[in-house]
């Protein structure tokens, strides 16, 4: 209530009471005797005296709190001006030294600092819960986000789905069911995770085309013992992919200890008859399996210059042993 309005309303009320008593009631006088004090006043005055006393105390009360509000809003508007500088310091990765005077801006300042540092605050359990959520997502955990009612396109929902794809290869495989072409980052992540961790049955069931580098990564898994392949599966995997010369050579080097020499040589011989890019890989296998006569025949009949292989044969004639790996790159 505004003080001026209170004063006007009180004066009008007091005047109406006084007028009613004076013009409509003849109450006479009343004498108050307190020891040596003898006061005789009209009854109307005695009636208005408590109202006047209440008016004075109420006016003092309103004036006091009005003064406090004045100070509060004075500090509030000063803090509002300071907050812009405070925000600038946070954005510039500075440590703000601005001190706020009002409780509201002190709380806002603490919350703003915590958003940057993600340091928990004792009086804000709900915000601390979100900090725990963000920390868990950064650590790769899969969390229940249902209570936060986030949209599917929310960045936290997407990160949670990425974590689930990374942690659960079966979920990653399920996302690629009936997918013929990668359409977004989640499908790309799921595809890479199945190639990295899935079984050959899961990999084979995916309808998305695999590039030569991805096939080589599967062969590398087979080489490490992380993936099981039969000879026929290995052959199909190789024959269905068109590599370049360097990739065929890398494939040949990885394949040395997979199956029997005859099995690997037959696969590369079949590929070489269809794609001359595999010739260098086939020659490497001949050298690795010490089939030097066949190697010499292949080099003699080839149009290309196979200097590393010729050097290997020359060193053999001189009884100098060297691994084919060291010469053939």
């Amino acid at each position: 209530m505004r003080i001026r309005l209170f004063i006007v309303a009180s004066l009008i009320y007091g005047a109406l009471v006084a007028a009613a008593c004076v013009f409509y009631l003849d109450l006479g006088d009343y004498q108050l005797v307190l020891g040596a004090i003898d006061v005789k006043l009209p009854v109307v005055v005695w009636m208005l005296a408590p109202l006047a006393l209440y008016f004075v105390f109420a006016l003092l009360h309103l004036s006091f709190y009005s003064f406090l509000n004045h100070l509060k809003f004075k500090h509030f508007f000063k803090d509002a001006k300071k907050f812009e500088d405070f925000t600038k310091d946070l954005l510039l990765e500075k440590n703000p030294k601005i001190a706020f005077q009002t409780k509201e801006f002190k709380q806002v300042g603490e919350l703003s600092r915590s958003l940057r540092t993600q340091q928990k605050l004792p009086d804000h359990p709900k915000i601390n819960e979100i900090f725990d959520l963000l920390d868990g997502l950064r650590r790769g955990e899969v969390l229940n986000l249902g209570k936060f009612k986030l949209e599917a396109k929310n960045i936290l929902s997407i990160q949670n789905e990425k974590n689930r794809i990374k942690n659960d290869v079966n979920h990653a495989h399920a996302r690629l069911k009936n997918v013929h072409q990668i359409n977004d980052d989640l499908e790309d992540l799921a595809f890479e995770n199945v190639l990295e961790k899935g079984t050959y049955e899961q990999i084979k069931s995916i309808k998305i085309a695999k590039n030569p580098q991805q096939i080589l990564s599967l062969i590398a898994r087979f080489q490490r013992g992380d993936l099981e392949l039969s000879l026929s599966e290995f052959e199909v995997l190789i024959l269905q992919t068109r590599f370049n010369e360097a990739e065929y050579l890398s494939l040949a080097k990885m394949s040395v200890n997979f199956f029997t020499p005859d099995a690997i040589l037959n696969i590369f011989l079949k590929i070489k008859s269809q794609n001359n890019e595999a010739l260098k890989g086939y020659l490497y296998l001949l050298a690795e399996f010490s089939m030097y006569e066949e190697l010499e025949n292949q080099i003699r009949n080839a149009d290309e210059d196979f200097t590393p292989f010729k050097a290997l044969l020359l060193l053999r004639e001189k009884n100098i042993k060297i691994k084919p790996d060291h010469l053939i790159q």
Side-chain angles (χ1 to χ4, degrees):
M1 183 184 293
R2 295 179 180 178
I3 294 180
R4 290 181 182 178
L5 181 61
F6 172 76
I7 293 174
V8 171
S10 298
L11 291 177
I12 292 174
Y13 176 75
L16 290 175
V17 172
C21 293
V22 170
F23 293 106
Y24 295 100
L25 298 174
D26 185 11
L27 300 177
D29 298 332
Y30 178 77
Q31 185 176 6
L32 178 65
V33 179
L34 293 173
I37 300 174
D38 185 359
V39 180
K40 184 178 180 181
L41 295 171
V43 173
V44 175
V45 175
W46 290 113
M47 292 178 63
L48 292 177
L51 292 177
L53 189 63
Y54 170 78
F55 170 76
V56 171
F57 282 114
L59 184 61
L60 290 174
H61 174 81
L62 291 174
S63 299
F64 175 72
Y65 280 98
S66 177
F67 176 70
L68 290 182
N69 284 334
H70 169 73
L71 292 179
K72 179 179 178 180
F73 282 106
K74 179 181 178 182
H75 293 314
F76 185 87
F77 290 123
K78 285 184 178 180
D79 284 350
K81 292 180 180 179
K82 292 179 183 178
F83 189 73
E84 182 178 356
D85 295 330
F86 179 84
T87 306
K88 289 178 182 177
D89 287 346
L90 288 179
L91 292 174
L92 293 171
E93 298 295 331
K94 294 181 179 180
N95 186 20
K97 297 181 180 179
I98 297 173
F100 297 109
Q101 294 179 300
T102 58
K103 178 182 177 181
E104 293 79 5
F105 272 96
K106 286 179 180 178
Q107 290 180 343
V108 171
E110 288 180 356
L111 288 173
S112 299
R113 282 192 179 93
S114 68
L115 289 177
R116 188 186 70 172
T117 62
Q118 296 199 359
Q119 183 177 356
K120 292 183 180 181
L121 300 173
D123 298 328
H124 299 278
K126 292 184 178 180
I127 292 178
N128 293 340
E129 185 180 7
I130 296 176
F131 285 155
D132 289 336
L133 167 72
L134 296 175
D135 187 50
L137 290 176
R138 279 194 297 269
R139 292 199 305 268
E141 298 177 7
V142 181
L143 305 173
N144 183 8
L145 304 183
K147 65 180 295 184
F148 299 101
K149 299 179 180 179
L150 301 177
E151 296 180 354
K153 294 183 179 179
N154 184 282
I155 189 171
L156 299 182
S157 298
I158 294 173
Q159 184 59 50
N160 197 50
E161 178 63 13
K162 287 181 177 180
N163 292 348
R164 188 178 179 189
I165 289 172
K166 292 177 181 177
N167 294 328
D168 187 353
V169 69
N170 293 324
H171 177 68
H173 178 257
R175 280 194 65 97
L176 300 175
K177 186 178 181 180
N178 299 323
V179 175
H180 294 79
Q181 185 177 356
I182 293 176
N183 299 307
D184 55 41
D185 291 340
L186 291 177
E187 290 181 353
D188 184 50
L189 181 63
F191 185 49
E192 291 297 329
N193 194 42
V194 172
L195 293 178
E196 183 180 346
K197 300 178 182 178
T199 65
Y200 186 68
E201 289 300 320
Q202 290 176 322
I203 295 168
K204 187 170 59 174
S205 67
I206 296 175
K207 298 178 177 63
I208 302 170
K210 305 166 189 66
N211 62 43
Q213 287 302 317
Q214 290 167 335
I215 298 298
L216 287 176
S217 70
L218 294 179
I219 303 302
R221 283 188 59 195
F222 181 46
Q223 185 182 33
R224 295 193 302 268
D226 294 340
L227 184 67
E228 294 184 3
L229 289 175
S230 65
L231 177 61
S232 59
E233 288 171 337
F234 176 81
E235 183 175 358
V236 169
L237 197 61
I238 301 306
L239 291 175
Q240 289 181 346
T241 308
R242 191 174 184 84
F243 300 98
N244 60 33
E245 184 179 72
E247 290 166 341
Y248 274 120
L249 179 59
S250 297
L251 180 59
K253 291 182 178 181
M254 287 190 291
S255 305
V256 170
N257 298 316
F258 286 170
F259 304 102
T260 64
D262 287 342
I264 297 298
L265 283 171
N266 286 334
I267 292 174
F268 266 82
L269 185 60
K270 190 182 299 184
I271 299 172
K272 180 181 73 71
S273 64
Q274 301 172 0
N275 184 359
N276 197 52
E277 294 287 326
L279 176 58
K280 193 172 182 179
Y282 177 68
L283 297 179
Y284 174 84
L285 290 173
L286 292 175
E288 187 68 43
F289 297 140
S290 302
M291 301 177 68
Y292 297 113
E293 290 183 9
E294 179 63 21
L295 174 61
E296 190 172 358
N297 291 333
Q298 290 288 333
I299 294 175
R300 187 184 306 115
N301 297 329
D303 296 330
E304 300 178 44
D305 180 22
F306 294 103
T307 302
F309 294 98
K310 292 178 179 178
L312 183 66
L313 292 173
L314 182 61
L315 291 172
R316 175 180 171 272
E317 290 177 1
K318 295 183 179 182
N319 294 320
I320 299 175
K321 294 183 179 180
I322 186 170
K323 291 184 177 180
D325 222 37
H326 296 163
L327 282 178
I328 305 166
Q329 303 295 332

